[in-house]
Amino acid sequence: MITQQRWTRRVVAAGTGTLALLMAGGIAYAAWSQTGAGTGTAAAGSTTALGAVAAVSTTLYPGGTATLTVTVSNPNPRPVTVTAISLTGAVTASAGCTSSGVTVTLPATVSVSVPAGGSSPVTLTDAVAMSTSSTSDCQGATFTIPLRATGKTA
């Protein structure tokens, strides 16, 4: 009886040890074969509109032309290439000028680099003209040329 009891204890001890070993191996396998899934997010920045300030090289007179210099400012953190300068409305004259005859001719495309946080001029030769039909009441008048600069990141 004593021999059988020892044998039973040995079998139980061996079975417990084997079971413990199998469980440890299963946990190790489970730890090594972990998988998972999830999602991430990213935000896209936005751009700020370019600035455009126009200056005419000389005083306008009937039948004359002038160079238009548009200084484009870029408040964005990336450089841009200006691809177009366009009118956003009609050229207007200060009070008293009834028929200015001022026109602006802009090219279809331009290509000027503007650094991040900087500015660059776009020079358009003979882009502003005053027709011979301008009236005398436009002498000394100031003309407003509403412009927009369009660009893309460089």
Side-chain angles (χ1 to χ4, degrees):
M1 183 126 145
I2 294 176
T3 314
Q4 190 176 8
Q5 215 175 24
R6 285 186 190 161
W7 177 255
T8 305
R9 282 187 206 162
R10 286 183 189 161
V11 170
V12 170
T16 305
T18 305
L19 181 61
L21 184 61
L22 287 174
M23 286 178 61
I27 291 170
Y29 173 76
W32 290 336
S33 65
Q34 295 284 330
T35 61
T39 59
T41 61
S46 59
T47 58
T48 303
L50 300 173
V53 176
V56 178
S57 63
T58 62
T59 303
L60 293 172
Y61 59 90
T65 62
T67 296
L68 177 66
T69 301
V70 181
T71 301
V72 179
S73 58
N74 175 17
N76 296 294
R78 299 256 188 247
V80 298
T81 299
V82 176
T83 56
I85 303 288
S86 57
L87 287 169
T88 60
V91 176
T92 58
S94 58
C97 179
T98 56
S99 179
S100 72
V102 174
T103 58
V104 178
T105 304
L106 299 170
T109 61
V110 295
S111 182
V112 175
S113 295
V114 184
S119 61
S120 293
V122 179
T123 304
L124 307 168
T125 305
D126 295 331
V128 181
M130 181 180 250
S131 74
T132 55
S133 64
S134 296
T135 56
S136 292
D137 58 1
C138 291
Q139 292 182 47
T142 302
F143 304 97
T144 302
I145 304 170
L147 297 171
R148 173 187 4 241
T150 304
K152 63 181 180 178
T153 55

